[in-house]
Amino acid sequence: MSILKLSLLAVIAPLCWGPFYKTESPEKVPYPEGYRRWTHVRSGLTDADSPDYQLTGGLHHIYANDKAMEGYESGRFPDGSVIVYDLLKVQTKDGVTREGERRYLTVMHKDSKRFADTGGWGFEVFLKNSRTDRTVWPNAKMKCFDCHTNRKDQDFVFGSFRK
Amino acid sequence: MSILKLSLLAVIAPLCWGPFYKTESPEKVPYPEGYRRWTHVRSGLTDADSPDYQLTGGLHHIYANDKAMEGYESGRFPDGSVIVYDLLKVQTKDGVTREGERRYLTVMHKDSKRFADTGGWGFEVFLKNSRTDRTVWPNAKMKCFDCHTNRKDQDFVFGSFRK
């Protein structure tokens, strides 16, 4: 292969591999270490009467770090904002429902450069108590963002802080 | 009245009025300003199937300040520890239960000197969103502490921090 052809390949190859590389290895959202000491935003319960029971059945709590709390107040979430949706199984006995094991942890992480394709937000779901077992990456757009686009006027965030 | 009698009265009166004063005006627990940004300890739901529904029906969240979090870790709560039980009404529709209005806010405030008669803990219930409408003071012993004595081995605190 001539030097000219090699040089051309060096220029063209990244243009071809770029999109594949981007699809195969987009940015990963870090596990939200320490989120249990963050601010509790609000909670909700989904039971077997809901059509969403299989997906979201249980008691969920939303947590936000300090930057995300600025976002809940202003409506615009600064880079570094992290919001967690913590979903727990429940046990009900004699009219009392108690928290059980964790089902999964959903994370939204704001970084307008790293996650420019999805409104500046990275999305991830960590199964049970795992810090590495991910179910969203690398498909955040399809699995999360396509629905969050409905909340563009709220910077793609559902819900509000319960005072 | 002679000066001697007046002097005797000045010594004796506080001894007589003391117990009355103590019963009528024990220390009040301050409203836990800013508790919504404290750590969320755990939650639970009480529904109409529970015999406690009238008293505790709804979704409750427990919050703890940083000193109380030390207590949850060590089992001994230092002075300044404050724990809040935040009880909300709920609305359930199509299998989804959402948070509603606040029913009341129960507060435990650790001060081993001010609340020496009740295990070092002051107790109060603030109705709805009021910072002044109290239902416990001045009867914390009967209304709260008599039950909390069952948890003497846990420094009179029910429950634990859900990790």
Side-chain angles (χ1 to χ4, degrees):
Chain A
M1 195 179 285
S2 71
I3 291 175
L4 178 63
K5 282 181 180 172
L6 273 173
S7 301
L8 273 173
L9 195 63
V11 172
I12 296 167
L15 299 179
C16 301
W17 297 340
F20 290 103
Y21 180 82
K22 198 172 180 184
T23 304
E24 298 290 340
S25 299
E27 298 280 354
K28 280 184 177 176
V29 170
Y31 181 87
E33 295 291 346
Y35 78 91
R36 281 293 288 110
R37 300 293 297 268
W38 296 353
T39 299
H40 173 222
V41 175
R42 61 169 59 243
S43 297
L45 182 78
T46 302
D47 65 37
D49 292 336
S50 166
D52 295 327
Y53 181 65
Q54 194 170 1
L55 186 63
T56 63
L59 180 61
H60 70 256
H61 304 302
I62 312 287
Y63 300 101
N65 68 0
D66 287 345
K67 290 206 170 187
M69 286 306 296
E70 292 175 30
Y72 279 112
E73 283 165 27
S74 69
R76 307 308 299 172
F77 290 78
D79 277 2
S81 295
V82 184
I83 301 170
V84 170
Y85 171 104
D86 195 4
L87 181 63
L88 309 169
K89 293 180 183 175
V90 292
Q91 296 104 31
T92 301
K93 188 180 177 186
D94 299 333
V96 175
T97 297
R98 299 178 198 278
E99 296 172 332
E101 292 178 359
R102 182 162 287 111
R103 285 191 62 190
Y104 58 75
L105 202 67
T106 295
V107 182
M108 288 180 70
H109 187 120
K110 187 76 176 276
D111 187 320
S112 51
K113 288 182 182 168
R114 292 175 63 204
F115 306 113
D117 292 347
T118 46
W121 288 100
F123 297 84
E124 190 53 88
V125 174
F126 295 92
L127 291 177
K128 298 181 177 176
N129 294 315
S130 175
R131 284 163 161 72
T132 54
D133 197 358
R134 297 161 179 265
T135 66
V136 166
W137 182 86
N139 301 309
K141 188 173 182 309
M142 182 188 70
K143 290 189 173 180
C144 304
F145 187 62
D146 285 353
C147 183
H148 280 263
T149 54
N150 298 327
R151 299 286 291 183
K152 190 175 181 182
D153 59 334
Q154 306 273 347
D155 206 357
F156 307 106
V157 174
F158 288 96
S160 58
F161 175 64
R162 172 182 55 75
K163 291 182 179 175
Chain B
M1 195 177 282
S2 70
I3 291 175
L4 178 63
K5 281 182 180 172
L6 273 174
S7 300
L8 273 172
L9 195 64
V11 173
I12 295 166
L15 298 178
C16 300
W17 298 339
F20 290 102
Y21 179 82
K22 197 173 180 184
T23 304
E24 297 291 339
S25 299
E27 299 280 354
K28 280 185 177 176
V29 170
Y31 182 87
E33 295 291 347
Y35 79 90
R36 280 293 289 110
R37 300 294 297 268
W38 296 354
T39 299
H40 173 221
V41 176
R42 62 169 58 242
S43 297
L45 182 78
T46 302
D47 65 36
D49 293 335
S50 165
D52 295 328
Y53 182 65
Q54 193 171 3
L55 185 64
T56 63
L59 180 61
H60 69 256
H61 304 302
I62 313 288
Y63 300 101
N65 68 359
D66 287 345
K67 290 205 170 184
M69 286 307 297
E70 292 175 30
Y72 278 112
E73 282 165 26
S74 70
R76 307 308 299 175
F77 291 78
D79 277 2
S81 294
V82 184
I83 302 171
V84 170
Y85 171 103
D86 195 3
L87 181 62
L88 309 169
K89 293 180 184 176
V90 292
Q91 297 103 32
T92 302
K93 187 181 176 186
D94 300 331
V96 175
T97 298
R98 299 177 198 278
E99 296 172 333
E101 292 178 358
R102 182 162 288 110
R103 285 191 62 190
Y104 58 75
L105 201 67
T106 295
V107 182
M108 288 179 71
H109 187 119
K110 187 77 176 276
D111 186 321
S112 52
K113 288 182 183 168
R114 292 175 63 204
F115 306 113
D117 291 347
T118 46
W121 288 100
F123 297 85
E124 191 53 88
V125 174
F126 294 92
L127 290 177
K128 297 181 178 175
N129 294 314
S130 175
R131 285 164 161 72
T132 54
D133 198 356
R134 298 163 179 262
T135 67
V136 165
W137 182 87
N139 301 309
K141 188 174 182 310
M142 181 188 70
K143 289 189 173 179
C144 304
F145 187 63
D146 285 352
C147 184
H148 279 262
T149 53
N150 297 328
R151 298 287 288 184
K152 189 175 182 182
D153 58 334
Q154 306 274 345
D155 206 358
F156 306 105
V157 174
F158 288 95
S160 58
F161 176 64
R162 173 184 54 75
K163 291 185 177 173

